[in-house]
Amino acid sequence: SKPWIETSYHGVITENMDTVLLDPPLVALDKDAPVPYAGEICAFMIHGQEAPFEAVVLNKTSGEGVLRAKGLVDCETQKEYTFIIQAYDCGAGANGVSWKKSHKAVVHIQVDDVNEFSPVFREAVYHAAVTEGKIYDSILQVEAWDQDCSPQYSQICNYDIVTSDTPFAIDRNGNIRNTERLSYDKQLRYKIMVTAFDCGQKRATESVAVHIDVKPVCKPGWQGWNKRMDYEPGTGSKQLFPKMHLETCDGPLSAVRAMVELQTSHIGKGCDRETYSEKSLQKLCGAASGSTDLLPAPSASTNWTASLLTDSGRDSDLIFRFDGRQASNVPERVVPQNLTDQFTIATWMKHGPSPGLRAEKETLLCNSDKTEMNRHHYSLYVHNCRLVFLLRRDFTQVDTFRPAEFHWKLEQICDKEWHYYVINVEFPAVILFVDGVTYEPYLVTDDWPIHPSSIDTQLTVGACWQGHYRLLYRVSNPRFTQYFRGSLSGLTIRPGKIETQKVISCLQACKEGLDINSLESLGKDIKFHFNPAQSVLVMEGEDLESVNTAMAKVSYINSRQFPTAGLRQLHITTTVQCFGEDICISIPDIKAVVIVLPPSEPRITIAGSDRLVKPSADLRGAMGVAPFKELRITSTVTKSDGVPFSAGGWVHRPGVLEVMHNLDYCDVLVIGEELNPEHESLEIHHSSLIGKHLDATNSTSGISIYGVDSMAHYEEALRQVRYRNWRPATLTNRRFRLTCSELNGRYTSNEFNLEISVLHNSAPVEHVNHMAVQSQYMRPVHHPLMVHTLNSHISGTPPAATVVIVICIAALVVIVVLGIYRLHSTHQDGSKREEDGAKDPKMDWDDSTLTITVNPMEAVEEVVRDEEEEDDEEEEEDDEQAGDMSAESGDSDETEEEEDEREVKEGKQKSKLEWDSSSITY
């Protein structure tokens, strides 16, 4: 018979175990039992797709068996197995012949799970952001998973926050919420640690970090900008807001308008401008020459501004402040006598309203009668915040009613800010320029011309001169009236010409302002506009991203090589327009500052030869001498450069760098007595200044070269300065001091002192005897080499030896003079000679032994001989003149062509008479 088994089995096996629990148990029955072999069960066979199980017979007689795994069973790999099993009897004999097998039974085995894995979070880090002041049901959800196969161990049943004392909670589904209202000001970010548990209460091996950022309540406005930006001189254009963007809180926008304002009213005269003198600026801008500076820096020649108040600390910018009590009379020598029909008045003015004084005139400039009368010929004044220019022509020029007063009403006049005013007069037309913008007068009044008189006029600044004042039948002394209250700078008047628009724009141009980097990269929908001074920039756009890009390109630029250091304020105002509304979002204003760092101060150095020795003939020459021919001007700055350090890192050490910049004046001052214009001068030829932005003025105290130009041009000009002295007989030396400046004295050079020593020349005196007498047919020639050697020897002789030599030469000259005088007397008076013969013979000259040699080739004209005899008589009376002759004879190295003729004449006079001193009897 065939063995019999159940038709199906259900089993359970725990993973990582090998025994399978079957239901029902594995038992095979055979009807042939208890017949040996035929009634016994020998084997169980499993049929399936590589089922990892085997069936083993435990008892052949009873047919019991067991099902077990061949290896470890993993639930995570396979949870269930199904296969076929059959039972086999032992057959007919021991050899297993004629085995019988049972029917096929289905075995279904389920693998039981073991909680061997811990929960793992799906993200390494979780991030979330919340808005302050709100309570959230769920800020974010964390999620963990488990590799176990069964629901009991693979499902996550709980989450927990590990970090203590946090205002957050988490539910069993992983949702995190805040338990209290969060504050942006209190804490910007929270970091909490979260863990997870599966349903078998197995905890995650690693907790996960959760970062929660607290955002402020969405407030529309600019974000990503710094309150301070540092600007280093010489760096060009620097972006102010490279990362700034506008937050609109997702509001619908149709247009954005932003205005950036650079506030520089506290810098100089309203902004950073060149601080050169007014004359230098006019020369630099190409203005016509001939202007008169009515408010120059106080000096010996411009002392009328010494009593005025100056505003110090303005970076060498000369500013005069008037408080209603100061005024100054301009000297008559400075005042232009004839303004003609064309002239220009220009000035910088800062003026504000004066409470309680609105009815009074405040005079900037006034030309009025000096005495007797009180007529105003022309004046410029402020009245009730209106600028008025008065111009009354002389009766001799016009005899009809003509325009006389021109009125302008402008906000700039009383806004307490600096403005540049230029009045161009082309009579009868008068035009006003304010900061380069043209304004016509709103009111012009006519008046009669002034009748001619012999009364002198007085030009005043800061008030008007009242030459005649009557009060209750009493005449007071002349005085100032109509005082000005404000600040003035650069007040000039130029007769005969008017200023051009180009020059006016140059004179008032700011050297700092706002800029836009890469204009071509701006969006096509962006519109922008600068004011003339480039201190205000307005930008408009419809797309928010384009506006953000444009604002990131707004820059600050300062083109001065040495800008004024300090703070500049920035102010940004923004308006946002929404669809269908005028203004829907309010954007707060921005206030920031630009700090201009101090520039590296240049050190201007003047070098060259500080002592010149020149013959007097050179000083008398047509060109004179050039004291500064070897002059060299350099300028250096000290920079701190990064240098690699051997141990790593960088070390900053100072380094000296040579820089090139302009100068605005160089003054050569005479040290000691001033120049005497009757016989000496210090000057520069006008041709030396051609092609340069330079001009020069000289006086008895020195020479000044001014104008904004390069150091190289100043070098060239100073090397052409000439000193002449056409009477150098009494001059031993002249000393000069040279100083140069940049930016009107802000940076000055060293004081370079130079001394010119004068060599006084005369023909050398020769000791003549019979042996040294020249042939009467030979013309005496002074060999230059011998003369040079003699001079070199004398110049190198110690002072004591020099005195001895001078005394000896003087004695010899006296003896020669006495001899000549004696001869002359002998020939003139023979009778006197006979009377003298009765006296002591030792006192007579021995005429027989006196030898006189005359060179016939050097015959002197009669006029020259007479002059020589007269000179000899004078020399006999004055020993000092004889000493001068000896000094001249010791210096005979003159080689100039101008002195050749003089030397020949002197040589003839000296060598006309020669004698043998050895034969003279005393």
Side-chain angles (χ1 to χ4, degrees):
S1 299
K2 295 187 301 182
W4 177 89
I5 58 175
E6 298 288 341
T7 58
S8 63
Y9 294 89
H10 293 276
V12 175
I13 184 174
T14 302
E15 64 176 341
N16 300 328
M17 303 293 288
D18 59 354
T19 303
V20 180
L21 299 178
L22 288 176
D23 183 24
L26 182 59
V27 177
L29 300 177
D30 194 328
K31 292 180 179 181
D32 293 331
V35 176
Y37 299 109
E40 296 177 352
I41 301 300
C42 280
F44 292 97
M45 299 295 294
I46 294 176
H47 306 282
Q49 297 179 351
E50 297 181 359
F53 297 96
E54 62 179 359
V56 179
V57 177
L58 296 178
N59 191 325
K60 294 182 179 181
T61 304
S62 60
E64 295 180 24
V66 64
L67 187 64
R68 60 187 180 188
K70 294 180 181 179
L72 297 180
V73 179
D74 189 3
C75 177
E76 287 73 33
T77 304
Q78 189 168 343
K79 296 179 180 180
E80 296 179 348
Y81 294 91
T82 301
F83 52 86
I84 303 297
I85 191 173
Q86 286 181 307
Y88 289 80
D89 60 15
C90 293
N95 53 6
V97 179
S98 302
W99 280 16
K100 299 286 185 182
K101 58 183 179 179
S102 67
H103 60 272
K104 295 179 179 180
V106 178
V107 180
H108 182 75
I109 298 177
Q110 180 179 352
V111 181
D112 281 350
D113 188 20
V114 174
N115 194 3
E116 56 182 333
F117 293 101
S118 299
V120 177
F121 288 93
R122 296 190 179 276
E123 302 289 341
V125 180
Y126 287 89
H127 293 275
V130 296
T131 303
E132 63 175 345
K134 292 179 64 177
I135 296 293
Y136 289 83
D137 293 333
S138 177
I139 297 174
L140 80 160
Q141 183 182 21
V142 297
E143 184 180 2
W145 66 288
D146 197 314
Q147 296 184 30
D148 290 318
C149 63
S150 64
Q152 179 182 2
Y153 300 132
S154 64
Q155 292 183 358
I156 306 300
C157 287
N158 195 19
Y159 292 92
D160 192 15
I161 296 177
V162 179
T163 307
S164 60
D165 299 328
T166 59
F168 299 98
I170 190 169
D171 60 17
R172 61 186 304 167
N173 295 321
N175 293 306
I176 300 176
R177 59 183 177 85
N178 58 319
T179 57
E180 62 184 49
R181 300 182 187 277
L182 304 180
S183 173
Y184 176 81
D185 297 330
K186 182 179 179 181
Q187 190 167 344
L188 301 179
R189 168 177 284 194
Y190 291 88
K191 178 182 178 181
I192 58 177
M193 302 301 294
V194 177
T195 189
F197 297 88
D198 60 18
C199 293
Q201 293 303 305
K202 193 175 185 66
R203 179 176 173 173
T205 304
E206 296 182 359
S207 300
V208 71
V210 179
H211 297 279
I212 299 177
D213 295 327
V214 180
K215 295 174 60 178
V217 175
C218 184
K219 299 175 183 178
W222 293 102
Q223 297 181 1
W225 55 278
N226 296 323
K227 292 185 178 181
R228 168 176 171 163
M229 287 73 69
D230 290 341
Y231 181 82
E232 185 175 353
T235 56
S237 182
K238 181 177 180 180
Q239 289 179 269
L240 297 174
F241 317 107
K243 298 181 180 180
M244 188 171 72
H245 62 278
L246 182 62
E247 176 62 59
T248 60
C249 297
D250 300 327
L253 308 178
S254 61
V256 178
R257 182 180 186 272
M259 182 175 69
V260 185
E261 182 180 2
L262 179 68
Q263 298 174 352
T264 60
S265 58
H266 62 290
I267 302 295
K269 296 190 290 286
C271 68
D272 208 0
R273 294 182 171 91
E274 296 293 3
T275 55
Y276 296 114
S277 65
E278 198 64 28
K279 278 190 175 182
S280 296
L281 283 175
Q282 291 178 356
K283 189 82 173 177
L284 183 65
C285 292
S289 60
S291 67
T292 301
D293 190 356
L294 302 180
L295 284 176
S299 66
S301 60
T302 58
N303 56 0
W304 69 88
T305 60
S307 61
L308 301 179
L309 297 177
T310 57
D311 196 354
S312 59
R314 291 291 187 176
D315 193 23
S316 302
D317 210 354
L318 187 60
I319 295 173
F320 293 91
R321 183 164 52 87
F322 297 86
D323 60 0
R325 295 189 296 271
Q326 286 85 24
S328 179
N329 285 329
V330 181
E332 186 176 356
R333 59 181 172 81
V334 179
V335 180
Q337 299 302 318
N338 184 15
L339 293 182
T340 71
D341 287 339
Q342 287 188 344
F343 62 92
T344 299
I345 298 177
T347 184
W348 286 94
M349 182 178 74
K350 180 181 180 181
H351 181 264
S354 302
L357 301 173
R358 293 181 62 83
E360 293 188 11
K361 296 179 180 179
E362 299 180 52
T363 303
L364 287 75
L365 177 69
C366 180
N367 184 270
S368 59
D369 290 329
K370 197 170 188 177
T371 57
E372 299 182 24
M373 302 184 70
N374 190 29
R375 299 175 302 174
H376 294 185
H377 296 258
Y378 62 87
S379 66
L380 180 65
Y381 61 90
V382 175
H383 189 210
N384 290 338
C385 289
R386 291 167 173 81
L387 187 66
V388 182
F389 177 62
L390 170 67
L391 178 62
R392 299 190 65 187
R393 312 296 290 179
D394 291 341
F395 195 84
T396 56
Q397 295 174 321
V398 289
D399 56 358
T400 59
F401 225 41
R402 299 301 297 270
E405 282 191 351
F406 304 84
H407 300 250
W408 292 271
K409 183 179 180 180
L410 305 172
E411 295 180 357
Q412 295 93 320
I413 298 172
C414 286
D415 65 355
K416 298 182 180 180
E417 301 289 345
W418 280 104
H419 299 285
Y420 188 54
Y421 299 82
V422 178
I423 295 178
N424 272 350
V425 177
E426 285 185 293
F427 193 80
V430 178
I431 298 177
L432 172 67
F433 293 85
V434 181
D435 297 332
V437 180
T438 306
Y439 295 93
E440 297 285 346
Y442 82 95
L443 175 64
V444 179
T445 59
D446 296 342
D447 202 349
W448 287 103
I450 294 179
H451 288 275
S453 68
S454 59
I455 302 174
D456 293 334
T457 59
Q458 176 65 60
L459 182 63
T460 56
V461 177
C464 198
W465 183 256
Q466 196 166 28
H468 182 271
Y469 179 66
R470 182 182 297 276
L471 179 62
L472 298 177
Y473 306 102
R474 180 173 60 87
V475 178
S476 68
N477 295 327
R479 64 186 182 93
F480 288 115
T481 186
Q482 300 176 6
Y483 285 96
F484 178 70
R485 295 170 179 83
S487 297
L488 297 176
S489 179
L491 177 58
T492 61
I493 185 169
R494 176 185 286 107
K497 293 182 180 180
I498 62 173
E499 210 63 272
T500 64
Q501 175 79 46
K502 181 180 179 180
V503 172
I504 294 173
S505 300
C506 175
L507 291 172
Q508 61 90 35
C510 287
K511 296 299 181 180
E512 65 177 338
L514 299 173
D515 191 21
I516 297 180
N517 281 341
S518 305
L519 285 173
E520 62 278 0
S521 63
L522 291 180
K524 295 182 179 180
D525 60 327
I526 296 295
K527 299 177 182 179
F528 64 92
H529 172 71
F530 285 101
N531 69 333
Q534 284 194 221
S535 60
V536 177
L537 168 62
V538 178
M539 305 185 73
E540 296 181 359
E542 298 178 356
D543 180 61
L544 181 60
E545 191 64 30
S546 298
V547 173
N548 289 337
T549 302
M551 287 296 291
K553 296 181 180 298
V554 177
S555 305
Y556 169 81
I557 188 171
N558 194 316
S559 59
R560 292 189 67 190
Q561 188 174 7
F562 305 107
T564 302
L567 177 146
R568 277 79 162 162
Q569 293 187 350
L570 287 167
H571 189 203
I572 302 178
T573 56
T574 310
T575 56
V576 176
Q577 184 176 353
C578 299
F579 293 98
E581 302 180 34
D582 292 336
I583 298 177
C584 57
I585 300 176
S586 178
I587 306 297
D589 292 351
I590 284 181
K591 291 185 178 181
V593 294
V594 176
I595 304 294
V596 178
L597 302 178
S600 298
E601 296 191 0
R603 181 179 179 182
I604 306 172
T605 304
I606 303 176
S609 177
D610 59 355
R611 189 172 185 271
L612 298 178
V613 179
K614 292 291 183 180
S616 58
D618 289 1
L619 274 66
R620 290 196 300 265
M623 297 298 295
V625 296
F628 307 106
K629 194 171 184 179
E630 300 177 1
L631 186 74
R632 174 80 172 124
I633 304 176
T634 58
S635 183
T636 57
V637 296
T638 301
K639 291 279 190 178
S640 180
D641 299 327
V643 178
F645 186 54
S646 59
W650 291 77
V651 174
H652 291 274
R653 67 183 183 189
V656 179
L657 302 176
E658 185 171 349
V659 295
M660 302 300 296
H661 57 77
N662 291 330
L663 300 176
D664 59 351
Y665 69 80
C666 286
D667 290 338
V668 181
L669 300 179
V670 178
I671 302 176
E673 295 184 1
E674 293 189 353
L675 299 175
N676 189 340
E678 294 183 358
H679 64 263
E680 61 182 335
S681 67
L682 184 68
E683 58 190 5
I684 182 172
H685 198 274
H686 179 70
S687 61
S688 302
L689 305 178
I690 296 176
K692 305 178 180 67
H693 297 287
L694 299 178
D695 208 341
T697 58
N698 59 350
S699 64
T700 58
S701 59
I703 187 171
S704 178
I705 302 175
Y706 62 91
V708 182
D709 212 332
S710 65
M711 292 187 293
H713 280 179
Y714 266 93
E715 276 186 7
E716 295 175 7
L718 288 168
R719 290 172 181 172
Q720 299 300 319
V721 172
R722 297 282 175 172
Y723 171 68
R724 290 186 62 206
N725 191 318
W726 43 96
R727 295 180 187 174
T730 60
L731 181 67
T732 57
N733 58 53
R734 259 297 183 193
R735 298 175 61 201
F736 302 96
R737 176 173 296 157
L738 170 63
T739 56
C740 294
S741 157
E742 165 66 336
L743 296 175
N744 202 21
R746 179 178 174 186
Y747 305 117
T748 56
S749 69
N750 61 310
E751 292 184 349
F752 179 73
N753 296 319
L754 180 136
E755 180 178 342
I756 300 178
S757 298
V758 183
L759 292 178
H760 296 281
N761 303 325
S762 67
V765 177
E766 300 176 342
H767 298 269
V768 183
N769 54 34
H770 290 287
M771 300 298 296
V773 172
Q774 301 181 37
S775 170
Q776 59 180 343
Y777 303 106
M778 295 180 64
R779 185 171 184 174
V781 178
H782 301 288
H783 198 284
L785 180 59
M786 296 176 62
V787 175
H788 176 75
T789 306
L790 176 63
N791 292 337
S792 301
H793 174 71
I794 294 176
S795 63
T797 306
T802 304
V803 173
V804 173
I805 293 173
V806 172
I807 292 175
C808 294
I809 295 175
L812 179 61
V813 172
V814 170
I815 293 172
V816 172
V817 171
L818 289 175
I820 296 174
Y821 179 77
R822 184 65 176 171
L823 285 173
H824 181 74
S825 300
T826 301
H827 289 288
Q828 294 294 325
D829 193 0
S831 62
K832 184 176 181 180
R833 181 181 175 189
E834 292 177 357
E835 295 176 358
D836 292 337
K839 298 180 182 180
D840 188 359
K842 294 182 180 180
M843 299 299 296
D844 295 338
W845 293 96
D846 188 359
D847 295 341
S848 61
T849 59
L850 179 64
T851 302
I852 300 176
T853 303
V854 178
N855 191 343
M857 298 301 293
E858 296 180 351
V860 184
E861 295 179 1
E862 188 66 26
V863 176
V864 177
R865 183 182 300 108
D866 293 340
E867 290 178 355
E868 180 186 7
E869 292 175 356
E870 293 175 3
D871 292 339
D872 292 339
E873 293 175 0
E874 292 177 358
E875 290 171 355
E876 181 180 352
E877 297 173 358
D878 191 354
D879 291 337
E880 294 182 3
Q881 294 184 8
D884 292 340
M885 289 175 58
S886 64
E888 291 176 2
S889 66
D891 188 2
S892 58
D893 59 348
E894 298 177 0
T895 58
E896 305 293 339
E897 293 182 9
E898 297 92 351
E899 298 298 312
D900 290 344
E901 183 178 352
R902 183 179 62 83
E903 289 181 356
V904 172
K905 289 182 179 181
E906 288 180 359
K908 291 178 180 180
Q909 294 175 10
K910 293 295 180 179
S911 59
K912 177 184 176 183
L913 297 176
E914 299 175 347
W915 61 89
D916 186 1
S917 59
S918 62
S919 62
I920 296 178
T921 302
Y922 294 92

